[in-house]
Amino acid sequence: MAAAARPTVSRSGFLCGQLLLTLAILTLACDACKQVILHVPSQLDAEKFIGRVNLRECFRSANLIHSSDPDFQILEDGSVYTTNSVLLSSEKRIFTILLFNTESQEEKKISVLLESQAEVVKEGYSKEKVLNRAKRRWAPIPCSMLENSLGPFPLFLQQVQSDTAQNYTIYYSIRGPGVDKEPLNLFYVERDTGNLYCTGPVDREQYESFEITAFATTPDGYTPEYPLPLVIKVEDENDNYPIFTESTYTFTVFENCPIGSSVGQVCATDKDEPDTMHTRLRYSILEQVPPSPTLFTMHPTTGVITTTSSQLDREFVEKYQLKIKVQDMDGQYFGLKTTAACVINIGDMNDNMPTFTRTSYMASVEENTIDVEILRVSVEDKDLVDTPNWRANYTILKGNENGNFKIVTDPKTNEGILCVVKSLNYEERQQVTLQIGVVNEAPYTRNSGSRPAMSTATVTVTVVNQDEGPECSPSTQIVRIKENSPPGTTSNGYRAYDPEGRSNNGIRYKKLSDPRGWVTIEENSGSIRVFRSLDREAETIRNGIYNITVLALDKDGRSCTGTLGIVLEDVNDNGPFIPQQTVVICKATMTSAEIVAVDPDEPENGPPFDFTLESSDSRVQRMWRLARINDTAARLSYQNDPPFGSYEVPIRVSDRLGLSTVTSLNVIICDCITPSDCATRSRERSGSGDIKLGPWAILAILLGIAMLFCILFTLVCGTSGTTKQVKALPDDLPQQNLLISNTEAPGDDKVYSTNGFTTHTVGMSGQGICGTLGSGVKNGGQETIEMMKGGHQTLDTCRVATGHHHTLDSCRGGHVETDNCRYNYSEWYSYTQPRLGEKVQLCNQDENDKHAQDYVLTYSYEGKGSLAGSVGCCSDQQDEDGLEFLNNLEPKFRTLAEACIKR
């Protein structure tokens, strides 16, 4: 039973929850539309924001909002604004906001209560007092006074009374602007009676109203009443004239404008109270100069001036002057008024066409003259000067088909200047008649049914004859000569003539230019003679025409120049040939190649071409086959699967007349995909596949074999004397022994190298080769140089023997087992002396190629262990002349090289 009751309890609890939620929503909805109280001042100006009401919480879907009080306006966001000035005389005001949905026809209302802030203050005070005097008040009567009142002063305004005066003795007092604030002492109140007075006139434009505070107190200082705010409003008097914003207005309207076109707008202000008769203004036009006809009118309330006629003509009247008036009191006769001036300028339009002052003109010009002024014409235009409506554009309508004349406008005078820009020929025309016209820069704008015709004039130009020189006409003349004509062949040449008699008598000819010197020109007749064989296919010939320049002179030396074009008629003197002499056939992707032949001759001596194999070798005939593609191309294909390689294939190409040439094609059959892949291949094979060596290849092989035998012979000679003892030089030969004397003390284990000589420290041993240059032995701190057998062997010999690029130190070995290879002293001297001279010949020479003073000196024996160093030519080296070989020494020789080079 208990288990069965649980679902029933749950369902009832759920229904109770739903009911509570619905009641809560209804309660919130009711609260959302409840009365709204706004606390505002007792006096509200027009268009003033006073508060905001949350309309969405009350009725979210409302699309129509309306206020029951016309003095208030409600916006969509709930903002409340005043539409007029509002005075809360009862200190409370109520109006209703109506929310309506036009689709569902649903309506809701929100009540708005406006409470004066003074009333709120009073209620606050009443709650704090023990006595409740909420029903009592003391004379908050509205008060006003007339602006600029004439008195008599003091002027009684009203009486301030308190209900507590029935029970207490009340003293009245006031504070605020006009009392104890500027303007001071303008108002006062009688202490005992509460009568309020004004002491002088007030200007409303300076003080619109006064907000003062009245106090009621007992003699002992008790205040039975709250302070009373009292507003004294100054009633406006029409004491200010309306004033125009400008004393003189200036407007511009274009002539011929349509009726009702706006000219401009004037405006005036009035300091009197707005939205009263004192500030309701009326505008009007009093006078127009010139008076007739009346062309303008003015809107009475906006002050906009418009046109009443479309006949405004700037050429008749350039400007109009109006006298305008503005008057308050809505224009009634007793209203105050003010006048101003208005100037209306008439803007220019291009309503007048320019016209020539004359209908015909006469002019003359000498023949063969250009860029000369021959005539000036003038026009009249009534439009405004120096404007596009006045500036003229002249044009030549007829008679200038050859372009001999040009007419331009003088920007200063507006005249038309007629000029000759291309020379005239008296022999062709003695007189030219021109028709000229004129228009303005700006388009014609008069609104009329038909446009007036362009003003035109006739100009007759007389051409004056001159005695002129020969005339080369046409400037380029043509003659025809067959190419390869033999020298001496004559042909017609250039012909010039005298324009006076239309003859070529007495005219001489000279050749000015002949690029290849192929022809000569006969002086009197102008005919040409072939001097060298003419070749139409020469590089400088274009389109088969060879041009020369000819000078024609008359007896007075006057001249003209012309061009003679010699058309070289083609003959069949060139056989067709194949320009591409190397053809690549990629065997993987191609079985043939296309060959194209060209013929420098004209087409009548050229294709169609005939391609044939020109070879008596049967292998060529079996391997290659030619097939015609078109008139200038054939296809060369291989047969019988030839191996890769290069093949010479001679092909004869014949033109249509049988003239032929043989071109030997180099055909490369390559293992490639595209012909460009075979460009870097250098292997070449013949047609049979056998390798053939040329004479130079055979000679190179023979020279290599000879060099190999020479090297083997040298090695055999070098090893034959290794068992002999090496003879040592005497340790202390007194004279003519090359000593190493610049060692001042026992040095490090370093190797010093110089030109052809080597030194090394004691203690190094090893097997040497007798063919080395020499070895040194250090004895008692002194080093000597030992030359070994081997004749003219050098370091390169050592390199060949060892098979590697070793230094001299690595191949010279020790001195223990080389005594049998040594020379005696005389042999050593005779060997080293000339070679030493060759080595140091370039060392330290002066500008005259003379050797230094210490060149090849005999050094004396200095003894063992000398501390003094030796000074030689290399120790004072000042430049690097002749020491270029030091740059090519191996690394172990650089120590001595650095000592000999100036640092």
Side-chain angles (χ1 to χ4, degrees):
M1 294 294 291
R6 288 178 183 175
T8 304
V9 175
S10 299
R11 285 195 298 269
S12 61
F14 175 75
L15 292 176
C16 291
Q18 290 291 333
L19 182 59
L20 291 175
L21 180 60
T22 303
L23 292 176
I25 293 174
L26 292 175
T27 303
L28 290 174
C30 295
D31 292 341
C33 297
K34 67 180 180 179
Q35 186 183 50
V36 177
I37 300 176
L38 299 178
H39 302 289
V40 296
S42 59
Q43 183 176 0
L44 300 175
D45 296 331
E47 298 181 357
K48 183 179 180 62
F49 174 76
I50 61 175
R52 181 173 285 108
V53 179
N54 194 339
L55 303 180
R56 291 186 174 274
E57 291 185 359
C58 178
F59 195 7
R60 181 177 297 272
S61 61
N63 54 16
L64 184 61
I65 304 172
H66 181 68
S67 174
S68 61
D69 192 334
D71 289 337
F72 299 96
Q73 179 184 6
I74 315 300
L75 302 183
E76 293 181 357
D77 62 347
S79 300
V80 182
Y81 285 86
T82 58
T83 57
N84 301 307
S85 297
V86 177
L87 181 62
L88 302 179
S89 58
S90 62
E91 297 182 353
K92 288 185 180 181
R93 188 162 180 172
I94 298 177
F95 66 93
T96 303
I97 300 176
L98 302 177
L99 303 177
F100 187 75
N101 189 320
T102 56
E103 296 180 359
S104 62
Q105 300 296 318
E106 186 178 357
E107 182 183 45
K108 291 187 178 181
K109 298 180 181 180
I110 300 177
S111 177
V112 179
L113 173 63
L114 302 181
E115 287 189 356
S116 173
Q117 294 176 350
E119 178 66 21
V120 174
V121 173
K122 288 181 181 181
E123 292 179 359
Y125 281 135
S126 62
K127 292 178 182 179
E128 295 177 359
K129 299 293 182 179
V130 177
L131 297 177
N132 186 3
R133 295 189 293 269
K135 294 182 180 181
R136 297 178 182 178
R137 65 179 187 86
W138 56 301
I141 303 173
C143 178
S144 64
M145 61 175 296
L146 185 63
E147 175 188 16
N148 301 322
S149 174
L150 298 179
F153 296 102
L155 178 65
F156 174 77
L157 298 180
Q158 71 172 6
Q159 184 181 21
V160 180
Q161 286 185 341
S162 174
D163 294 341
T164 59
Q166 300 175 3
N167 302 320
Y168 301 96
T169 299
I170 298 299
Y171 292 162
Y172 299 96
S173 63
I174 56 176
R175 293 179 184 176
V179 183
D180 55 354
K181 296 180 181 179
E182 290 293 337
L184 297 175
N185 302 322
L186 181 61
F187 302 101
Y188 72 91
V189 64
E190 290 182 347
R191 188 188 66 172
D192 298 328
T193 62
N195 293 332
L196 182 63
Y197 293 92
C198 178
T199 61
V202 180
D203 186 2
R204 193 207 65 84
E205 286 70 40
Q206 187 176 5
Y207 303 103
E208 293 185 1
S209 62
F210 297 91
E211 295 184 3
I212 61 178
T213 304
F215 300 92
T217 60
T218 59
D220 56 358
Y222 172 66
T223 304
E225 297 283 1
Y226 300 113
L228 175 66
L230 181 61
V231 177
I232 302 175
K233 183 178 179 182
V234 180
E235 298 291 342
D236 183 49
E237 181 186 19
N238 191 20
D239 59 341
N240 290 277
Y241 284 83
I243 300 174
F244 282 105
T245 55
E246 297 181 21
S247 59
T248 301
Y249 292 89
T250 302
F251 303 112
T252 300
V253 62
F254 287 100
E255 60 180 335
N256 301 319
C257 64
I259 297 175
S261 298
S262 177
V263 177
Q265 183 179 14
V266 299
C267 184
T269 60
D270 196 324
K271 295 182 180 180
D272 289 327
E273 186 175 0
D275 299 325
T276 63
M277 292 293 291
H278 299 163
T279 56
R280 186 171 297 178
L281 306 181
R282 286 278 178 173
Y283 300 93
S284 60
I285 298 175
L286 297 180
E287 182 180 354
Q288 173 186 304
V289 178
S292 179
T294 301
L295 301 175
F296 306 98
T297 184
M298 178 180 288
H299 194 279
T301 57
T302 62
V304 176
I305 302 174
T306 55
T307 59
T308 59
S309 173
S310 61
Q311 302 302 317
L312 291 174
D313 190 351
R314 190 205 64 83
E315 289 73 33
F316 181 69
V317 178
E318 293 187 356
K319 67 179 179 180
Y320 293 87
Q321 294 183 353
L322 304 179
K323 183 178 181 181
I324 57 178
K325 179 190 72 172
V326 61
Q327 190 171 15
D328 60 15
M329 301 300 293
D330 202 17
Q332 298 185 42
Y333 69 94
F334 51 83
L336 303 179
K337 59 185 177 180
T338 303
T339 61
C342 179
V343 178
I344 301 176
N345 295 314
I346 308 302
D348 184 50
M349 299 292 290
N350 189 21
D351 57 345
N352 293 279
M353 296 288 290
T355 57
F356 286 102
T357 56
R358 296 169 55 185
T359 58
S360 63
Y361 298 88
M362 299 292 294
S364 63
V365 61
E366 293 184 352
E367 65 172 336
N368 302 321
T369 57
I370 59 173
D371 296 331
V372 293
E373 175 185 329
I374 62 174
L375 181 66
R376 280 180 174 258
V377 297
S378 59
V379 295
E380 291 180 349
D381 196 326
K382 296 180 181 180
D383 289 320
L384 188 62
V385 178
D386 292 331
T387 64
N389 302 328
W390 174 82
R391 286 191 286 269
N393 276 343
Y394 298 90
T395 182
I396 301 176
L397 302 176
K398 295 180 181 179
N400 193 33
E401 288 76 12
N402 296 329
N404 300 101
F405 302 94
K406 179 181 70 172
I407 188 167
V408 295
T409 305
D410 188 332
K412 296 182 180 179
T413 63
N414 209 32
E415 293 177 323
I417 305 174
L418 183 64
C419 304
V420 177
V421 295
K422 183 180 178 181
S423 62
L424 295 165
N425 193 339
Y426 176 82
E427 286 71 28
E428 295 179 357
R429 299 179 67 180
Q430 290 78 36
Q431 193 177 73
V432 180
T433 301
L434 304 175
Q435 185 183 26
I436 58 176
V438 62
V439 293
N440 291 122
E441 290 183 1
Y444 185 75
T445 58
R446 179 182 288 275
N447 297 325
S448 58
S450 61
R451 179 176 180 177
M454 177 191 298
S455 178
T456 61
T458 302
V459 179
T460 303
V461 182
T462 302
V463 182
V464 180
N465 187 26
Q466 283 185 339
D467 185 12
E468 50 193 342
E471 183 174 342
C472 295
S473 178
S475 59
T476 301
Q477 300 179 16
I478 301 296
V479 296
R480 292 180 176 273
I481 303 177
K482 287 185 177 295
E483 69 170 331
N484 299 330
S485 297
T489 303
T490 60
S491 176
N492 294 331
Y494 195 88
R495 291 291 183 269
Y497 64 91
D498 185 358
E500 305 294 335
R502 308 299 296 179
S503 67
N504 51 17
N505 296 330
I507 297 178
R508 296 176 292 112
Y509 301 91
K510 291 184 179 181
K511 183 176 64 173
L512 290 182
S513 68
D514 182 4
R516 303 185 71 91
W518 281 350
V519 297
T520 60
I521 190 167
E522 206 281 323
E523 183 177 7
N524 294 322
S525 63
S527 61
I528 60 173
R529 184 185 300 272
V530 176
F531 182 70
R532 293 187 179 91
S533 180
L534 307 177
D535 185 8
R536 181 185 171 279
E537 288 75 33
E539 293 182 359
T540 56
I541 303 303
R542 296 290 182 268
N543 300 322
I545 300 177
Y546 179 65
N547 293 321
I548 64 173
T549 305
V550 179
L551 176 68
L553 302 96
D554 64 3
K555 60 182 179 179
D556 296 327
R558 292 171 294 191
S559 64
C560 67
T561 58
T563 300
L564 179 63
I566 302 174
V567 178
L568 301 176
E569 297 180 348
D570 185 45
V571 296
N572 192 20
D573 58 344
N574 294 280
F577 65 94
I578 302 173
Q580 183 181 357
Q581 299 184 3
T582 300
V583 177
V584 178
I585 299 177
C586 293
K587 198 171 183 181
T589 58
M590 304 165 58
T591 59
S592 63
E594 180 179 334
I595 56 177
V596 179
V598 295
D599 193 335
D601 293 327
E602 286 290 325
E604 58 267 16
N605 297 322
F609 299 142
D610 184 26
F611 297 85
T612 58
L613 292 173
E614 185 69 16
S615 177
S616 59
D617 191 349
S618 60
R619 291 184 300 174
V620 175
Q621 298 291 339
R622 290 194 304 269
M623 183 177 295
W624 304 102
R625 183 169 60 88
L626 281 171
R628 184 175 181 274
I629 299 177
N630 52 37
D631 290 347
T632 59
R635 187 175 305 280
L636 177 65
S637 57
Y638 61 81
Q639 304 178 106
N640 301 326
D641 192 19
F644 298 116
S646 177
Y647 302 88
E648 295 293 330
V649 182
I651 299 177
R652 179 180 293 277
V653 186
S654 305
D655 60 18
R656 65 168 61 189
L657 300 180
L659 185 62
S660 63
T661 58
V662 178
T663 303
S664 182
L665 286 183
N666 180 25
V667 182
I668 301 174
I669 298 180
C670 186
D671 184 12
C672 59
I673 302 301
T674 60
S676 60
D677 297 340
C678 202
T680 58
R681 307 287 177 87
S682 60
R683 297 182 57 190
E684 299 182 355
R685 298 178 180 270
S686 65
S688 60
D690 299 332
I691 300 177
K692 295 182 179 180
L693 297 178
W696 291 105
I698 297 174
L699 180 59
I701 293 174
L702 294 177
L703 289 177
I705 295 173
M707 291 180 64
L708 180 61
F709 277 109
C710 289
I711 294 172
L712 293 176
F713 179 75
T714 302
L715 293 176
V716 171
C717 291
T719 56
S720 63
T722 55
T723 58
K724 297 180 181 181
Q725 297 293 327
V726 180
K727 295 180 180 181
L729 293 175
D731 292 335
D732 52 356
L733 289 176
Q735 298 293 333
Q736 298 183 354
N737 186 15
L738 183 61
L739 302 178
I740 303 301
S741 59
N742 60 347
T743 302
E744 299 179 358
D748 299 332
D749 292 339
K750 292 184 179 179
V751 177
Y752 301 89
S753 60
T754 184
N755 304 339
F757 302 98
T758 60
T759 64
H760 63 87
T761 58
V762 177
M764 296 183 64
S765 62
Q767 183 64 35
I769 298 175
C770 187
T772 57
L773 296 178
S775 61
V777 181
K778 181 177 180 182
N779 297 317
Q782 197 72 21
E783 295 181 355
T784 62
I785 302 299
E786 298 176 352
M787 291 298 299
M788 303 301 176
K789 290 182 179 180
H792 296 287
Q793 291 180 352
T794 62
L795 179 60
D796 295 332
T797 307
C798 178
R799 291 174 180 174
V800 173
T802 59
H804 301 281
H805 292 283
H806 296 298
T807 62
L808 183 60
D809 295 324
S810 63
C811 62
R812 65 190 174 189
H815 69 281
V816 178
E817 298 178 0
T818 58
D819 291 341
N820 55 349
C821 294
R822 297 183 180 176
Y823 288 100
N824 57 28
Y825 178 76
S826 61
E827 291 175 338
W828 177 85
Y829 181 81
S830 62
Y831 176 82
T832 59
Q833 188 67 17
R835 288 161 177 77
L836 180 62
E838 293 175 0
K839 293 296 182 180
V840 299
Q841 183 176 2
L842 299 177
C843 180
N844 202 18
Q845 292 182 355
D846 57 13
E847 297 178 355
N848 298 325
D849 296 332
K850 293 181 181 181
H851 299 291
Q853 294 181 359
D854 58 349
Y855 173 69
V856 191
L857 298 179
T858 301
Y859 293 123
S860 298
Y861 179 66
E862 297 179 356
K864 298 180 179 180
S866 174
L867 299 177
S870 175
V871 179
C873 63
C874 291
S875 63
D876 192 30
Q877 180 69 28
Q878 299 299 322
D879 52 35
E880 297 180 5
D881 295 337
L883 298 180
E884 293 83 3
F885 64 93
L886 295 176
N887 297 328
N888 301 322
L889 296 178
E890 299 218 2
K892 294 185 178 181
F893 288 83
R894 293 176 182 169
T895 304
L896 182 59
E898 294 177 356
C900 292
I901 297 176
K902 181 181 178 180
R903 291 173 293 181

